Amino acid sequence: NEEKPRAITGACGIDVGWRLMEDGSLRVAYLAGDDGHHEELRLPAQLVTAWDKMRSIQSDRDDDFNAIIVRLVEWKQQQATEPPEWFADAAKCVGQWKSKGRLGRLVDQWSENRIPGDDEIMTELQAWRHQDVHLWQWQVDGERKAQRQRLDLYRVFAHRVSQRYGEIFVEDFDLRAIQRDRKPDDNTADAGAKEYMRTACLSTLIGLLKQKKAVEVES
């Protein structure tokens, strides 16, 4: 179906931001038109919960990774003999590692070059690897689905607004400035403000509105 032409009359202003509502939905925009029309754009509670679940999975993966790193460092310290040269190089400064992929590559290399007395730690490492891959796949699939749902909502909103108003003014919302200005110990009214900012992904919404010829104005 061909898209209907944009409206040529009427104007509206759109304020963007994120606010968790009592019903669990996340308000991301508020529209006021010169025709008296007002409306909110919200991400439904179900979608907000989905994003929370994906962050919970990431947190679990981080905890599991930190735990297995501690266990590996302990194992290394308990060895009475010097490790093979390849292992010493591959596992250098392992206690400071932050990359799950790096540890995964070590497990792969180690599996092909076993070390006497490594049965227990290898079993633990392989169990960690299997679980992390499982959780990662679950996380990626969930995030893709949630992203599609959010994008569909934003596209429908942007299209509907362009069909109703000839001029669209959207708040010039600088996310980078917010992140830059926030102090490390800044406790907002909503403890999950940073997470909700990511859930809202307002840059996507603003980008779609600008595709409909919306003009950014200072708030």
Side-chain angles (χ1 to χ4, degrees):
N1 296 332
E2 294 185 4
E3 181 175 323
K4 295 180 180 179
R6 294 183 67 251
I8 59 175
T9 61
C12 72
I14 302 174
D15 290 330
V16 293
W18 58 89
R19 179 179 179 182
L20 186 66
M21 311 304 287
E22 291 184 0
D23 63 356
S25 64
L26 189 68
R27 189 178 72 185
V28 296
Y30 182 83
L31 177 150
D34 62 359
D35 56 356
H37 175 69
H38 296 259
E39 71 171 279
E40 294 179 331
L41 174 60
R42 297 189 185 188
L43 298 181
Q46 183 180 6
L47 186 53
V48 176
T49 299
W51 281 108
D52 289 343
K53 178 62 178 177
M54 296 309 105
R55 282 189 287 269
S56 177
I57 292 174
Q58 180 63 57
S59 178
D60 289 344
R61 292 180 62 214
D62 291 343
D63 289 344
D64 291 345
F65 174 76
N66 292 334
I68 196 64
I69 286 291
V70 169
R71 177 70 181 93
L72 179 54
V73 170
E74 291 176 348
W75 180 85
K76 285 183 60 182
Q77 294 171 345
Q78 292 168 359
Q79 300 311 295
T81 59
E82 288 294 322
E85 184 176 352
W86 74 263
F87 182 84
D89 291 339
K92 187 177 181 180
C93 301
V94 67
Q96 302 174 21
W97 286 8
K98 302 298 181 182
S99 169
K100 300 175 182 65
R102 187 177 183 183
L103 181 57
R105 290 189 292 273
L106 174 63
V107 174
D108 289 340
Q109 185 177 2
W110 196 346
S111 297
E112 299 296 327
N113 301 272
R114 298 297 295 272
I115 302 173
D118 69 358
D119 290 348
E120 184 175 350
I121 187 64
M122 179 54 67
T123 297
E124 295 179 39
L125 284 165
Q126 290 176 337
W128 164 79
R129 182 83 183 284
H130 176 79
Q131 176 70 357
D132 188 68
V133 169
H134 170 72
L135 291 177
W136 174 78
Q137 291 174 338
W138 188 8
Q139 180 183 354
V140 168
D141 289 344
E143 287 178 348
R144 286 175 177 169
K145 182 178 180 181
Q147 288 169 353
R148 287 195 299 269
Q149 292 175 347
R150 181 178 62 197
L151 183 59
D152 287 344
L153 286 170
Y154 287 178
R155 281 175 171 166
V156 169
F157 176 78
H159 174 73
R160 185 172 68 251
V161 172
S162 72
Q163 296 298 304
R164 182 161 187 159
Y165 299 103
E167 293 182 294
I168 305 169
F169 301 98
V170 62
E171 178 184 2
D172 183 4
F173 197 78
D174 191 345
L175 292 174
R176 290 173 298 180
I178 292 176
Q179 294 173 322
R180 182 175 61 249
D181 295 341
R182 180 176 290 146
K183 300 177 182 178
D185 59 349
D186 184 17
N187 294 319
T188 61
D190 184 351
K194 188 174 182 179
E195 286 72 22
Y196 294 133
M197 176 181 70
R198 293 172 178 169
T199 298
C201 195
L202 294 177
S203 59
T204 297
L205 174 60
I206 293 172
L208 289 168
L209 289 168
K210 290 172 71 174
Q211 289 179 16
K212 301 296 184 180
K213 309 304 181 182
V215 176
E216 288 186 288
V217 295
E218 293 186 5
S219 57

